[in-house]
Amino acid sequence: MGAAHAADAAVKLVDEGARLLVSFGLAGGLSGALKAGDLFLASEVCNASGQVLALAPLPVEVGAAAFQGGRLLSSDTPVLEPAEKKRLARRWAAESVDMETFAIATVAAEAGLPCAAIRVVVDHAGMTVPAAITGCVDAFGRPQPGRLAATLLRRPALLPALVQLALADHEARKTLRLAAQRLGRMLAG
C-alpha cells in the first residue's frame, strides 16, 4: 500500500470518527527470532529519519507465535536482502519492517488518537526477495498474473524464490485472517 495511501486512508478514518487506528498487515522480519507467519505487536514505530512514535498495546492472541513489544521500522522502500535487513535491525534496533505504520501513527498522533500495529511476517530476516518480483504486484501487494508470467518467462531462475515467497505469504495471510477475526471479536465485545 505504501505510506501515502496509508496516510490518506487513516485521515479518512479519523474524519469518519475513528477512536483508534490500527496498522494491520504484512511485514518483513529483521530479527532472526521472527519467521513467516509470526504475529508482531509492536510497542513503537520509527522511520528512517530516526523519529519514534509510541504505539498502543493491543493484545491479540491467535494461537501463532506472537511477539509483543519491540520496534517496527517503517521504510520508504522495500527491504529485500538479508544484509540490508541485518543492517537496519542493528541501526534502528527494530524487529520488523513495513512501509505504512509510521504514516498511520503520525495521522493518529496529529488527531490525538491511539494507534496500534498488528503485523505478520512474510519474509524472515534471512530470506531474499528478488527485486524483479516486487514489480509483479500492485500498490496493495496483490499479485499481477500477467506481469508475473512475463517476468518468469524472462527469468525462470526466479521460480524457486517465488515459490518460497508464495508459501511464506500463505502462512502469513492465514495468521493475518485469524488475527482479524480475533481482533473483531475483541473490539466488538
Side-chain angles (χ1 to χ4, degrees):
M1 175 181 258
H5 290 299
D8 289 345
V11 167
K12 287 178 186 171
L13 289 170
V14 169
D15 290 346
E16 292 174 8
R19 296 187 318 241
L20 165 72
L21 295 182
V22 179
S23 176
F24 185 84
L26 302 173
L30 298 180
S31 164
L34 295 171
K35 63 184 187 327
D38 283 349
L39 185 70
F40 181 63
L41 306 169
S43 57
E44 62 184 20
V45 61
C46 71
N47 65 9
S49 298
Q51 297 170 291
V52 178
L53 296 172
L55 295 169
L58 192 60
V60 178
E61 294 187 20
V62 297
F67 293 84
Q68 303 235 353
R71 181 176 285 177
L72 175 66
L73 167 67
S74 282
S75 174
D76 296 331
T77 58
V79 180
L80 308 174
E81 297 290 332
E84 180 67 1
K85 293 175 185 182
K86 186 176 184 178
R87 185 186 73 75
L88 291 172
R90 275 196 313 262
R91 179 169 184 194
W92 301 109
E95 275 69 50
S96 189
V97 62
D98 76 355
M99 296 176 67
E100 297 86 13
T101 300
F102 192 84
I104 295 167
T106 298
V107 170
E110 290 170 355
L113 297 175
C115 180
I118 299 174
R119 290 289 168 164
V120 179
V121 174
V122 174
D123 54 306
H124 59 78
M127 181 181 198
T128 298
V129 178
I133 291 176
T134 64
C136 299
V137 295
D138 67 12
F140 297 96
R142 295 178 298 233
Q144 299 299 293
R147 284 191 230 158
L148 187 56
T151 298
L152 287 174
L153 284 172
R154 284 190 308 273
R155 299 184 57 196
L158 291 175
L159 186 58
L162 178 62
V163 169
Q164 181 185 24
L165 185 60
L167 293 171
D169 183 73
H170 177 73
E171 286 303 309
R173 288 182 190 276
K174 280 192 327 190
T175 303
L176 201 58
R177 279 190 295 277
L178 187 54
Q181 293 167 354
R182 300 268 170 92
L183 179 62
R185 283 192 288 255
M186 187 180 85
L187 293 175

